[in-house]
Amino acid sequence: WEKMSSTKMLLFPCYRRYPTVEIRAETFNGSTHVPVPSDSAFLKALLFELRLIDDHIFVEHRDTCTQINHSSVYSVRTGGGDLWPVLAFQKSGLIYACLPLVEGTLEPRPPLLTVSGLSQGLALLLGIVDYISPSRKNEAEMNAKIGQLRYLLIQACPLGTPLNTNIRSLNSSFDDIQEMPTDENQPAWRSNTYKGKPQVTVCITEKVKCMQYDKRDVADVWQVYGAVNCKCDIEGSAPNVTLSLNLPTNGPPLQDIVVHHCVTSVDPAMLMSSSAEPLDDSVYNGPYKFPFIPPSDSFNLCYYTSQVPVPPILGCYQLIEEGSQLKIRVNLKLHESIKNSFEYCEARIPFFNRGPIAQLEYKVSYGQLDLSREKSLLVWVIGQKFPKSLEVSLTGTVSFGTAGKEHPTDDVCTGNTAYVKLYFRIPDFTLTGCYVDQHSIQIFVPGKPKITASRELISSNYYIWNSKAPAPMVYKTLFD
């Protein structure tokens, strides 16, 4: 909407409602749910709240000093109650607004930072601003763009969750976008069709979290979670694809499986396996079949966790303070079942609440040791392979200068409570052994599709704590 003067207002209305999101809101909000009124009633209420109409009238709930708004989130009063949180702001005379979903009760109102829909809505609105702004001074061009925007939103946000907030990038494919599918069987999430040689790309990414203590009274913990990303360039309005995930013999089963909404059916036993319960012989261990009608863009077909018996790298870290010096020892051992071929592997050893490293004496059995520019972090670059023994070690003494503001501090890592953090990526490998059999991918379309499958294992919050100091009480929050 564009405010032309205090008495005349020129409207460029462009809005889109998502009934599926409104149904979800009613379920999440329960008795605190406030229904969204008609478009005209919402517009009138929003303009009133923003003081763009009836601004000469004093209204207590809107105009008192206690109602000063320090953000772009408003509570809009309607006939059915107060709609919150309404995200709205003005930019170059236009008003951009959306009503994000709150996944929970509205009373008491949750903190803004806990409402994930706010950041998603803001990103989408800023994408619209970026798309419309270049035409700000040309009314005819702006009218045309706002007319197109309704259709672009079908591609950017088909079911209420933003898939692509870069609206400008969608403009080039506008001619291929239709408000309604030409085929009544075409699902809403498949907003446009592909023309060309069929090809499917699948990548399994597993991440491993770990907390190691090398203590008898504190158990080490680790967790593996994976995601299967797909990109299906296939002709047709509703192509059917079936993909199978396989495990090696005696491989740990996949658990806590969550599938994308495009999956048309799934074995219930696959979804029943939970990491919260002990494993038994009846646990479903594959193959895990997923028949689906793919979206037009890249998407995550499913997520999963697994209880693997050992972490990929076992470590021991010892830090002892002797006078003005610290003595450190780090031992790392790659488990024999892990593929010894890394894209990168390094251990970072930070020193908190101390000055810059003034003197360093060390010995490494393998790789090289670097000192960060700030002189507060040791980076042990192990490289792309462990030696034949699969073990590496680092010993050294460190002394420090006077601490300055630029050096890192940490309320948890005080005294000798410290850690080593590992960073690594192993291509063409998963800790569970999970893989995609390219020959098992079924695509019911003409022509022989090109299929590309890959997998990788990446470290995520992989900590080895100093065994010579107490384990921090907040280690679980770092792990979660």
Side-chain angles (χ1 to χ4, degrees):
W1 301 278
E2 181 178 8
K3 188 175 182 181
M4 301 299 293
S5 67
S6 60
T7 59
K8 181 181 177 183
M9 187 174 295
L10 180 64
L11 297 179
F12 296 95
C14 178
Y15 51 84
R16 183 166 181 82
R17 297 178 71 129
Y18 295 92
T20 54
V21 179
E22 293 185 41
I23 293 173
R24 291 178 64 202
E26 188 173 356
T27 302
F28 278 121
N29 303 157
S31 60
T32 62
H33 176 68
V34 177
V36 181
S38 65
D39 299 327
S40 59
F42 175 78
L43 172 59
K44 184 177 180 180
L46 177 62
L47 294 177
F48 181 80
E49 182 65 31
L50 296 178
R51 298 180 176 85
L52 295 177
I53 58 174
D54 296 335
D55 56 345
H56 61 285
I57 303 173
F58 177 81
V59 181
E60 185 174 355
H61 82 270
R62 182 191 68 176
D63 300 321
T64 60
C65 293
T66 59
Q67 297 301 318
I68 296 176
N69 200 326
H70 298 286
S71 70
S72 298
V73 180
Y74 297 87
S75 177
V76 176
R77 181 156 295 186
T78 69
D82 291 350
L83 274 178
W84 182 90
V86 176
L87 179 61
F89 59 87
Q90 297 184 62
K91 180 72 174 179
S92 301
L94 296 177
I95 301 173
Y96 300 83
C98 68
L99 178 58
L101 172 68
V102 177
E103 298 183 351
T105 182
L106 298 174
E107 294 294 341
R109 288 182 180 175
L112 294 181
L113 289 176
T114 65
V115 182
S116 59
L118 282 172
S119 58
Q120 295 176 346
L122 180 60
L124 182 63
L125 293 181
L126 292 178
I128 296 174
V129 171
D130 183 60
Y131 167 70
I132 291 179
S133 291
S135 307
R136 175 67 184 81
K137 296 182 179 180
N138 188 320
E139 184 175 320
E141 185 178 341
M142 180 179 291
N143 269 309
K145 280 199 169 185
I146 291 177
Q148 293 177 356
L149 183 59
R150 174 175 175 80
Y151 308 111
L152 293 176
L153 286 175
I154 296 174
Q155 186 177 9
C157 192
L159 295 175
T161 300
L163 301 180
N164 187 350
T165 58
N166 187 356
I167 307 298
R168 185 186 294 183
S169 70
L170 303 177
N171 192 34
S172 60
S173 59
F174 170 68
D175 293 337
D176 297 329
I177 303 173
Q178 301 173 0
E179 182 175 8
M180 296 297 292
T182 55
D183 188 335
E184 62 180 9
N185 294 321
Q186 181 172 336
W189 61 82
R190 192 168 175 82
S191 54
N192 59 355
T193 55
Y194 170 80
K195 295 185 182 297
K197 185 177 180 180
Q199 52 187 359
V200 176
T201 303
V202 184
C203 179
I204 302 175
T205 298
E206 286 188 356
K207 294 185 178 182
V208 54
K209 291 183 177 182
C210 192
M211 292 281 169
Q212 297 182 37
Y213 301 95
D214 191 32
K215 289 177 175 289
R216 292 183 179 180
D217 58 337
V218 182
D220 294 344
V221 287
W222 58 90
Q223 180 187 27
V224 177
Y225 56 102
V228 181
N229 184 267
C230 299
K231 179 71 165 67
C232 301
D233 295 325
I234 305 172
E235 292 187 356
S237 58
N240 289 295
V241 180
T242 298
L243 182 148
S244 294
L245 299 180
N246 298 274
L247 294 174
T249 305
N250 298 325
L254 307 185
Q255 297 176 285
D256 305 321
I257 298 175
V258 179
V259 300
H260 191 274
H261 57 73
C262 72
V263 176
T264 54
S265 65
V266 69
D267 190 329
M270 186 190 307
L271 304 179
M272 295 299 290
S273 179
S274 171
S275 58
E277 300 176 359
L279 293 173
D280 56 49
D281 295 337
S282 63
V283 171
Y284 191 88
N285 58 3
Y288 304 86
K289 291 189 176 182
F290 301 91
F292 59 96
I293 300 174
S296 306
D297 300 315
S298 175
F299 69 103
N300 285 330
L301 177 66
C302 70
Y303 300 90
Y304 63 84
T305 66
S306 184
Q307 299 181 40
V308 296
V310 293
I313 298 178
L314 292 170
C316 174
Y317 178 35
Q318 295 181 352
L319 181 151
I320 302 175
E321 191 164 3
E322 293 186 355
S324 60
Q325 288 186 333
L326 292 181
K327 286 191 173 182
I328 62 172
R329 173 182 292 273
V330 184
N331 294 314
L332 302 176
K333 178 177 174 59
L334 180 68
H335 194 270
E336 58 187 11
S337 64
I338 306 302
K339 180 182 179 182
N340 190 10
S341 179
F342 294 78
E343 180 179 309
Y344 58 84
C345 181
E346 66 181 40
R348 299 184 183 180
I349 311 171
F351 296 96
F352 300 104
N353 311 307
R354 304 176 188 274
I357 295 176
Q359 186 174 359
L360 171 65
E361 296 180 2
Y362 69 91
K363 179 180 179 181
V364 292
S365 66
Y366 195 79
Q368 67 180 48
L369 189 67
D370 297 326
L371 178 62
S372 69
R373 181 180 299 177
E374 298 79 14
K375 297 185 177 181
S376 60
L377 175 71
L378 297 181
V379 181
W380 182 12
V381 180
I382 298 169
Q384 297 180 324
K385 272 185 176 294
F386 274 66
K388 290 184 179 180
S389 64
L390 303 182
E391 295 186 46
V392 294
S393 64
L394 159 68
T395 57
T397 58
V398 186
S399 59
F400 304 88
T402 304
K405 294 182 179 180
E406 70 277 10
H407 294 284
T409 60
D410 193 298
D411 294 333
V412 175
C413 298
T414 58
N416 289 352
T417 299
Y419 60 76
V420 173
K421 190 174 183 181
L422 299 188
Y423 296 82
F424 58 82
R425 177 181 180 270
I426 306 178
D428 195 27
F429 180 80
T430 51
L431 201 52
T432 62
C434 183
Y435 66 96
V436 174
D437 183 357
Q438 298 187 28
H439 301 290
S440 70
I441 298 179
Q442 301 176 8
I443 305 175
F444 303 96
V445 293
K448 185 177 181 180
K450 177 183 177 181
I451 299 174
T452 304
S454 61
R455 54 183 185 163
E456 61 182 357
L457 176 67
I458 302 175
S459 63
S460 174
N461 290 340
Y462 204 107
Y463 292 90
I464 301 172
W465 290 90
N466 178 23
S467 61
K468 296 296 184 180
M473 296 301 293
V474 297
Y475 77 94
K476 288 186 177 180
T477 61
L478 291 171
F479 185 68
D480 295 338

